[in-house]
C-alpha cells in the first residue's frame, strides 16, 4: 500500500540581496533569467513596486509590513523598488 506525504509548496532559493530603503525610491538589481518569484521582507514597513527598467516606488504602492515575508510573482529581468517613511533594509531573495 502506498503512503503519500502531503508537502508544503516551496521554491528553490536563489540570489539574495539587501536594498537600503529611505524616503527616496531605491531599486534592486535585475532579477535572474530563471526568477519567477521573489521573497521580500523589510525591517520597517515600506511600499514596493515590481517592474521593468528602473521602477519607482511611491507611497500608494503595495504595502509590505515590517518583518512579514511575502512572496510576489515577477518576470525575469524585472526589479523591485521600495520606499519608506524613515529607513529600512529590504531583503530580496530570488525564487525559482
Amino acid at each position: 500500500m502506498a503512503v503519500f506525504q502531503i508537502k508544503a509548496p516551496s521554491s528553490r532559493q536563489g540570489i539574495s540581496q539587501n536594498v537600503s530603503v529611505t524616503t527616496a525610491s531605491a531599486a534592486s538589481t535585475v532579477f535572474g533569467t530563471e526568477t519567477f518569484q521573489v521573497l521580500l521582507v523589510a525591517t520597517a514597513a515600506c511600499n514596493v513596486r515590481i517592474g521593468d527598467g528602473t521602477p519607482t516606488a511611491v507611497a500608494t504602492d503595495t504595502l509590505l509590513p515590517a518583518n512579514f515575508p511575502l512572496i510576489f510573482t515577477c518576470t525575469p529581468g524585472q526589479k523591485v523598488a521600495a520606499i519608506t517613511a524613515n529607513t529600512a533594509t529590504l531583503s530580496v531573495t530570488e525564487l525559482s
Side-chain angles (χ1 to χ4, degrees):
M1 191 182 298
V3 176
F4 294 96
Q5 182 180 30
I6 298 174
K7 297 179 182 178
S10 65
S11 298
R12 294 184 191 276
Q13 287 181 311
I15 296 170
S16 294
Q17 60 181 294
N18 288 327
V19 179
S20 295
V21 183
T22 63
T23 56
S25 181
S28 68
T29 59
V30 174
F31 300 148
T33 58
E34 295 295 320
T35 301
F36 294 94
Q37 293 181 317
V38 288
L39 172 67
L40 304 179
V41 61
T43 57
C46 59
N47 298 87
V48 296
R49 174 182 294 209
I50 296 173
D52 296 317
T54 303
T56 301
V58 295
T60 56
D61 285 332
T62 303
L63 177 65
L64 181 65
N67 302 311
F68 192 87
L70 289 174
I71 296 175
F72 292 88
T73 300
C74 65
T75 302
Q78 290 185 314
K79 298 178 183 179
V80 61
I83 192 169
T84 186
N86 295 306
T87 60
T89 299
L90 175 66
S91 173
V92 180
T93 302
E94 298 180 23
L95 304 175
S96 60

